[in-house]
């Protein structure tokens, strides 16, 4: 362990990026679990990443608005397609989401096959480079986060299927480029799984606390031990979630079994 390598000024922008992601992904993740379409986040995130890869193949500046637009366009098209498939074949929607994920993932592999830096680019999109996020990269995601949080607050249960998919696509677009596909999935699903038996406002508060503590501890440990930040955050967040779930209320069936 190298305590001299712990620089809070390096960690701070990365932590802010994680908190921005959590602001939208925790409530969206609750909706994903409620709707029973758990792998939609992986599919949309992978489609957004495919948009970034396509923009890269066109030799666009990675930090330009054009790349953001390409990722958003790809994610929105994926959301529209998923809306249509859910109307047409609702009984196999989860399977269709899985097919879309694998098609987007393999399309990305094909597009970077002849790029000498293609493997590194794919790794960055999957695992993310959260530790190297800069403050200036947070401006656009912060504006998008504020808009999405506003929509989620005012629409609440009145959100249509199409509206949900579109909002989800836009939220994931920004977060994939900040933290990577793995952390997008973890931020959406793991806190919601941990607090699913809690009730009232405590559920949302605990989900946010799990996410924030997972990002903070993962960033600190990755800096101290020189380990990949994204992967370590996934593990820290998951271990914390398991602890919160274990200490929390039991489902009705489990409670009855415990009483006997």
């Amino acid at each position: 362990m190298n305590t001299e390598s712990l620089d809070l000024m390096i960690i701070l922008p990365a932590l802010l990026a994680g908190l921005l992601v959590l602001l939208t992904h925790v409530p969206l993740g609750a909706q994903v679990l409620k709707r029973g379409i758990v792998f939609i986040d992986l599919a949309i995130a992978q489609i957004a990443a495919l948009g970034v890869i396509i923009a890269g193949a066109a030799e666009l500046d990675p930090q330009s608005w054009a790349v953001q637009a390409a990722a958003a366009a790809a994610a929105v098209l994926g959301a529209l397609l998923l809306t249509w498939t859910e109307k047409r074949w609702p009984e196999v929607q989860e399977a269709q989401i899985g097919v879309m994920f694998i098609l987007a993932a393999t399309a990305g592999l094909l597009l970077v096959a002849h790029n000498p830096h293609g493997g590194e680019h794919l790794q960055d999109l999957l695992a993310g480079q959260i530790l190297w996020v800069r403050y200036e990269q947070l401006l656009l995601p912060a504006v998008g986060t504020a808009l999405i949080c506003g929509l989620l607050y005012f629409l609440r249960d009145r959100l249509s299927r199409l509206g949900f998919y579109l909002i989800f696509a836009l939220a994931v677009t920004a977060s994939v480029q900040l933290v990577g596909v793995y952390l997008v999935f973890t931020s959406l699903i793991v806190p919601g799984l941990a607090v699913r038996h809690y009730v009232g406002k405590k559920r949302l508060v605990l989900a946010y606390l799990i996410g924030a503590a997972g990002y903070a501890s993962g960033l600190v440990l990755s800096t101290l031990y020189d380990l990949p930040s994204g992967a370590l955050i996934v593990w820290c967040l998951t271990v914390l979630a398991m602890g919160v779930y274990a200490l929390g209320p039991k489902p009705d069936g489990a409670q009855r079994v415990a009483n006997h």
Side-chain angles (χ1 to χ4, degrees), residues 153-219:
Y153 177 78
F154 287 110
L155 293 176
R156 297 182 187 177
D157 295 332
R158 294 178 289 132
L159 197 61
S160 66
R161 178 193 295 112
L162 177 59
F164 170 73
Y165 279 135
L166 290 177
I167 289 175
F168 190 92
L170 294 175
V172 167
T173 296
S175 59
V176 161
Q177 296 175 73
L178 278 179
V179 302
V181 174
Y182 297 154
L183 272 176
V184 166
F185 180 83
T186 306
S187 301
L188 279 160
I189 301 303
V190 173
L193 282 175
V195 301
R196 66 187 185 276
H197 298 310
Y198 289 82
V199 295
K201 294 182 179 180
K202 183 186 293 186
R203 175 185 295 181
L204 186 61
V205 171
L206 276 174
Y208 278 127
L209 288 175
I210 291 167
Y215 272 90
S217 57
L219 285 167

Side-chain angles (χ1 to χ4, degrees), residues 4-222:
E4 294 179 359
S5 66
L6 181 58
D7 188 341
L8 295 180
M9 297 309 294
I10 293 177
I11 293 175
L12 186 56
L15 180 59
L16 290 176
L19 295 178
L20 279 177
V21 170
L22 289 169
L23 279 174
T24 55
H25 285 38
V26 166
L28 284 172
Q31 285 288 321
V32 166
L33 290 171
K34 182 179 178 181
R35 293 168 184 254
I37 46 174
V38 173
F39 290 105
I40 183 178
D41 49 337
L42 274 178
I44 295 294
Q46 193 66 56
I47 292 168
L50 178 61
V52 175
I53 292 170
I54 292 171
E59 299 184 351
L60 298 176
D61 180 1
Q63 303 302 324
S64 70
W65 283 75
V67 174
Q68 298 284 341
V76 168
L77 286 173
L80 292 173
L81 180 56
L82 284 174
T83 303
W84 179 77
T85 59
E86 187 173 340
K87 290 180 179 178
R88 185 68 178 83
W89 302 288
E91 70 281 3
V92 290
Q93 178 67 351
E94 189 76 356
Q96 291 168 143
I97 290 171
V99 171
M100 285 189 64
F101 164 74
I102 203 66
L103 286 174
T106 50
L109 287 172
L110 292 171
L111 285 171
V112 301
H114 298 297
N115 184 340
H117 303 292
E120 181 182 344
H121 190 38
L122 277 178
Q123 178 68 17
D124 288 347
L125 285 171
L126 290 173
Q129 290 290 319
I130 186 173
L131 194 60
W132 307 116
V133 169
R134 302 185 304 275
Y135 286 112
E136 54 267 29
Q137 291 177 260
L138 300 179
L139 179 58
L140 184 59
V143 173
T145 296
L147 291 173
I148 291 168
C149 287
L151 287 171
L152 291 174
Y153 177 78
F154 287 110
L155 293 176
R156 297 182 187 177
D157 295 332
R158 294 178 289 132
L159 197 61
S160 66
R161 178 193 295 112
L162 177 59
F164 170 73
Y165 279 135
L166 290 177
I167 289 175
F168 190 92
L170 294 175
V172 167
T173 296
S175 59
V176 161
Q177 296 175 73
L178 278 179
V179 302
V181 174
Y182 297 154
L183 272 176
V184 166
F185 180 83
T186 306
S187 301
L188 279 160
I189 301 303
V190 173
L193 282 175
V195 301
R196 66 187 185 276
H197 298 310
Y198 289 82
V199 295
K201 294 182 179 180
K202 183 186 293 186
R203 175 185 295 181
L204 186 61
V205 171
L206 276 174
Y208 278 127
L209 288 175
I210 291 167
Y215 272 90
S217 57
L219 285 167
V220 169
L221 290 174
S222 69

Side-chain angles (χ1 to χ4, degrees), residues 123 127-128 130-131 218-219 221-223 225-234:
Q123 178 68 17
I130 186 173
L131 194 60
L219 285 167
L221 290 174
S222 69
T223 304
Y225 292 98
D226 192 24
L227 291 170
S229 300
L232 198 51
I233 293 169
V234 168

